[in-house]
Amino acid sequence: MRSAFSGGRVALMPYLTAGFPTLEGAREVGEAYVAAGADVIEIGVPFSDPLADGPTIQDTTTRALENGADLEYCLELASGLADRVPVVFLVYYNVIFARGIEGFLEAAAGAGVSGLVIPDLPVDEAVDFREMAAERGVAICPLAAPTTDDARLDRIAEAASGFVYCVSVAGVTGAREKLPPGAIELLRRVRARASAPVALGFGISSAQAAVEAASEADGVIIGSKLMQIVAEEGPEGAARWLRGVREALDSEARTKVGGRN
Amino acid sequence: MQQKSKDTSYFGPFGGRYVPETLIHALEELEEAYERYRDDPEFVEELNGLARDFVGRPTPLMFAERLTREWGGANVWFKREDLAHTGAHKINNALGQMLLAERMGKERIIAETGAGQHGVATATVAALYGRECVVYMGEEDTRRQAPNVLRMKLLGAEVRPVTTGSGTLKAALNEAIRDWVTNVENTHYIIGTVAGPAPYPRIVRDLQIVIGRELEFQARERFGRDPDAIVACVGGGSNAIGAFHPFVGRGGVRLVGVEAAGRGLETGEHGASLTGGEPGVLHGSMSYVLQTEDGQIREAHSISAGLDYPSVGPEHAYLKDEGLVEYASVTDEAALEAFVETTRLEGIIPALETSHAISHAAQVARELGPGKNVVINLSGRGDKDIGVVAEAIGMDAHEAEVASGDG
């Protein structure tokens, strides 16, 4: 998966909720993301009680569950994309636990899922899980928050076999006007410690915010904003918007003469 | 599941801290504050003083003479938590956590509530300490427990109805946690039961242990020995843990937790996580959870809003697996019968939650037989439930007036 971050440009990491707006529609969203130049696609596995998510993603997961988006479907969806772009699952821990940790990891690896973001499995609870995932070649992408202290950041940096998912703000997912002030500071603190790539997510909802994040991040994750566009304009609208972000990022990188390495 | 029992965050394999990273700092801060103040003489004195003067502790242990006769078994005793200020045991926890929040410098208090008893208790202590208070309550529950919504508002709290999911306690907890993630710097979340991420299950238990300690003393005073059985209802399980804890592992005391069987365990519409659930993770801890094969959390059902929850405190999961406490379940219908019976025979209107414990205690009393003593933790008063009960049993205030001839 790290190859996704090695192209000398900031990785574009769009999120989609598996099964939203429909089972078939989510496939179209994935295809649209690939066509728009996504470097990593983050697939949200629907869960009934998504604690870390704001209203937009909550609505999409409720719809997805009504549409029958179970784990088997999510695995198929991943497998249909993973041959062209690295796929990461955003999945709440109970979905993994209910399936059985080993069974889940094997199914994920079999579907070509490169990494896992588990919003309710902090590093303390993930010690054994990490080893089991490593054995099956599935990368762990732990979260770091503005409230995380330095000692924990050290452990999070060490635990990251995929990328470190920096949460831009103390809060839940959801489109926000501007990049919160603490986001860049967090990216710097993580970058100073982690050998893994560092991505920023939660609330990036404009090309300008993505460009700002790109000054310190190896990747930008965009979720709620894209789900809003999918709901209103469909996959093509999301692809158009994403291309705009890609262009803004590339144009910014060119003006920086080679950018940051 | 691996054993992690060395850590105070776990009860055997249960418990833990399965929360978004943003909250870890706040949980560590809470744990530090709790370790610092729990035995601090000034903290203990303030808590005990308010428990006495504001809450009205100790609550009495009362002999339920007519129920004893009616059931024809063991002597039946009520531990009268319904007489605590605000009408339930919930105030014990809310008060203790308020004192902690004050020492941590948190200006804003949030809580979730099902039946409204915890919301009222939290709004009450927030009023006492002059703090801003927001209570999340499922929209369905705001209808079922309308009197408690008014009480909270009168106490100055903002009640935010939650419309997601079935609009009950589970959804209220989700929203409270989301609020906390967002406002963690200035906000303390007073969780209402022994669930949630560590250190909450331990803190809430410690604050409710006062029930069991008083009970132990009063039992010796009244009948010269430990009770032969203690029966308590279990939703999240805070009143039960409080009443049981001093007696856990002590020979000769049967500890019985009673869950909500709703419309019947076989219908799938119930709140009996321990009896009808599987281990899983919800709201920050590993415990027994009502869920589908895919790990989606199911909606619970109970006529009592306080038991309408698809999980249970992790310590109960441990006590069940270790065989230290037995767990039974009681249907909506049986709980209603116990509600009516207790009201008519003892002149006490018990909460619908509590009525589950009373219903099952009848069986325990008969099993034990005369001369033995069974204590029911009468966790709350049922004034809040009279609307639900009247509707369920087809009672009409107007008809009653006409019938009694004084209308």
Side-chain angles (χ1 to χ4, degrees), chain A residues 46-51 53 58 65 70-71 94 97-98 119-122 125 128 143 145 147-148 152 156 170-171, chain B residues 1-2 4 10 16-22 24-25 164 170 174 178 181-182 279-281 286 291 294-297:
Chain A
F47 179 54
S48 53
D49 295 78
L51 277 184
D53 287 304
Q58 283 177 51
L65 287 170
D70 58 11
L71 185 55
N94 200 50
F97 187 77
D120 56 351
L121 192 72
E125 304 292 352
D128 301 340
L143 287 91
T147 52
T148 310
R152 279 185 71 80
I156 289 166
Chain B
M1 278 175 290
Q2 69 245 59
K4 299 176 177 176
Y10 297 90
R17 207 170 262 181
Y18 296 85
V19 292
E21 177 64 28
T22 305
I24 296 287
H25 177 70
T164 51
K170 178 180 83 144
N174 286 341
R178 289 183 186 119
V181 170
T182 308
V281 170
M286 173 81 69
Q291 55 185 316
D294 256 6
Q296 306 296 340
I297 310 304

Side-chain angles (χ1 to χ4, degrees), chain A:
Chain A
M1 184 172 59
R2 291 204 182 181
S3 64
F5 298 92
S6 62
R9 62 177 197 171
V10 176
L12 194 55
M13 307 166 73
Y15 163 97
L16 66 90
T17 299
F20 177 82
T22 60
L23 298 185
E24 187 48 41
R27 289 194 186 95
E28 289 164 17
V29 173
E31 292 303 327
Y33 287 175
V34 173
D39 297 294
V40 175
I41 293 181
E42 194 185 7
I43 293 182
V45 178
F47 179 54
S48 53
D49 295 78
L51 277 184
D53 287 304
T56 304
I57 307 257
Q58 283 177 51
D59 288 348
T60 65
T61 55
T62 306
R63 284 273 296 281
L65 287 170
E66 285 163 7
N67 292 338
D70 58 11
L71 185 55
E72 294 313 313
Y73 163 82
C74 298
L75 290 163
E76 274 169 41
L77 181 68
S79 148
L81 295 166
D83 54 343
R84 286 164 292 158
V85 59
V87 169
V88 171
F89 266 174
L90 187 140
V91 54
Y92 284 85
Y93 187 59
N94 200 50
V95 173
I96 298 173
F97 187 77
R99 176 67 172 245
I101 294 170
E102 290 189 23
F104 178 90
L105 288 169
E106 261 152 37
V113 172
S114 309
L116 299 175
V117 178
I118 312 170
D120 56 351
L121 192 72
V123 281
D124 326 72
E125 304 292 352
V127 178
D128 301 340
F129 185 87
R130 218 154 49 225
E131 273 177 35
M132 293 162 85
E135 280 166 24
R136 287 158 186 87
V138 179
I140 298 296
C141 311
L143 287 91
T147 52
T148 310
D149 65 28
D150 287 348
R152 279 185 71 80
L153 278 189
D154 287 341
R155 294 170 55 204
I156 289 166
E158 197 198 326
S161 47
F163 58 86
V164 180
Y165 189 136
C166 292
V167 173
S168 72
V169 64
V172 293
T173 59
R176 291 174 178 86
E177 289 285 303
K178 291 168 77 179
L179 203 61
I184 297 295
E185 172 62 21
L186 175 63
L187 286 167
R188 288 191 182 130
R189 288 169 63 215
V190 175
R191 176 171 298 293
R193 298 174 160 80
S195 59
V198 177
L200 187 73
F202 279 43
I204 297 178
S205 56
S206 68
Q208 193 208 331
V211 166
E212 238 181 285
S215 69
E216 289 293 333
D218 301 305
V220 290
I221 301 162
I222 305 170
S224 298
K225 177 69 180 179
L226 282 166
M227 289 295 94
Q228 277 171 10
I229 300 175
V230 166
E232 286 159 16
E233 301 169 37
E236 281 317 306
R240 258 194 315 276
W241 188 86
L242 207 51
R243 272 191 214 102
V245 175
R246 176 79 270 168
E247 277 159 22
L249 287 170
D250 290 348
S251 129
E252 176 73 10
R254 278 194 299 276
T255 64
K256 277 191 166 177
V257 195
R260 189 176 38 73
N261 53 355

Side-chain angles (χ1 to χ4, degrees), chain B residues 3-321:
Chain B
Q3 292 288 323
K4 299 176 177 176
S5 47
K6 273 181 291 184
D7 191 320
T8 54
S9 297
Y10 297 90
F11 306 93
F14 299 106
R17 207 170 262 181
Y18 296 85
V19 292
E21 177 64 28
T22 305
L23 289 182
I24 296 287
H25 177 70
L27 292 168
E28 285 175 346
E29 189 181 58
L30 175 61
E31 185 152 41
E32 273 172 34
Y34 183 59
E35 292 307 328
R36 181 165 161 206
Y37 293 113
R38 57 182 296 181
D39 296 320
D40 173 59
E42 199 193 317
F43 178 86
V44 172
E45 195 189 319
E46 187 176 342
L47 182 59
N48 289 347
L50 285 166
R52 183 190 62 227
D53 302 338
F54 186 66
V55 178
R57 304 210 70 90
T59 59
L61 182 67
M62 170 197 154
F63 180 48
E65 193 178 344
R66 293 186 69 201
L67 270 184
T68 299
R69 238 183 294 145
E70 179 74 18
W71 292 348
N75 295 324
V76 179
W77 300 81
F78 287 157
K79 175 63 176 159
R80 297 289 308 275
E81 289 300 297
D82 62 315
L83 291 179
H85 180 43
T86 71
H89 69 290
K90 295 290 186 188
I91 191 80
N92 303 328
N93 167 50
L95 185 62
Q97 287 203 51
M98 184 65 237
L99 265 60
L100 278 177
E102 200 215 7
R103 282 160 175 76
M104 288 189 290
K106 304 284 184 181
E107 298 138 21
R108 183 173 174 269
I109 300 298
I110 59 169
E112 87 295 338
T113 198
Q117 292 301 110
H118 174 59
V120 168
T122 303
T124 298
V125 296
L128 182 66
Y129 279 81
R131 291 295 194 279
E132 182 189 346
C133 179
V134 173
V135 179
Y136 290 91
M137 188 170 189
E139 194 180 40
E140 167 69 17
D141 290 340
T142 62
R143 272 193 296 270
R144 288 198 280 191
Q145 311 285 345
N148 274 342
V149 175
L150 295 177
R151 292 168 81 194
M152 287 184 269
K153 286 184 174 170
L154 284 168
L155 287 158
E158 180 193 342
V159 180
R160 292 192 187 159
V162 179
T163 53
T164 51
S166 66
T168 60
L169 184 53
K170 178 180 83 144
L173 257 145
N174 286 341
E175 278 311 301
I177 294 174
R178 289 183 186 119
D179 179 315
W180 200 33
V181 170
T182 308
N183 301 296
V184 64
E185 282 305 316
N186 73 342
T187 298
H188 176 63
Y189 175 24
I190 301 189
I191 199 168
T193 190
V194 285
Y200 279 111
R202 188 164 58 96
I203 293 179
V204 178
R205 176 197 71 199
D206 290 354
L207 291 169
Q208 294 293 0
I209 278 180
V210 64
I211 303 172
R213 295 229 171 97
E214 287 175 8
L215 168 53
E216 183 179 27
F217 178 81
Q218 291 164 328
R220 294 196 175 150
E221 206 176 46
R222 300 295 293 277
F223 46 85
R225 55 196 162 91
D226 282 345
D228 298 288
I230 304 171
V231 184
C233 63
V234 176
S238 69
N239 91 79
I241 282 280
F244 294 166
H245 207 268
F247 301 92
V248 168
R250 196 181 288 183
V253 186
R254 241 177 106 182
L255 304 174
V256 188
V258 185
E259 296 189 291
R263 299 194 172 96
L265 290 182
E266 70 289 350
T267 65
E269 294 178 53
H270 58 80
S273 319
L274 289 164
T275 321
E278 300 285 337
V281 170
L282 179 66
H283 297 144
S285 63
M286 173 81 69
S287 186
Y288 278 81
V289 178
L290 299 178
Q291 55 185 316
T292 68
E293 272 185 28
D294 256 6
Q296 306 296 340
I297 310 304
R298 285 175 24 209
E299 298 294 347
H301 165 81
S302 172
I303 191 168
S304 66
L307 304 185
D308 202 346
Y309 182 59
S311 186
V312 62
E315 190 165 7
H316 281 290
Y318 170 76
L319 293 171
K320 174 196 158 81
D321 278 12

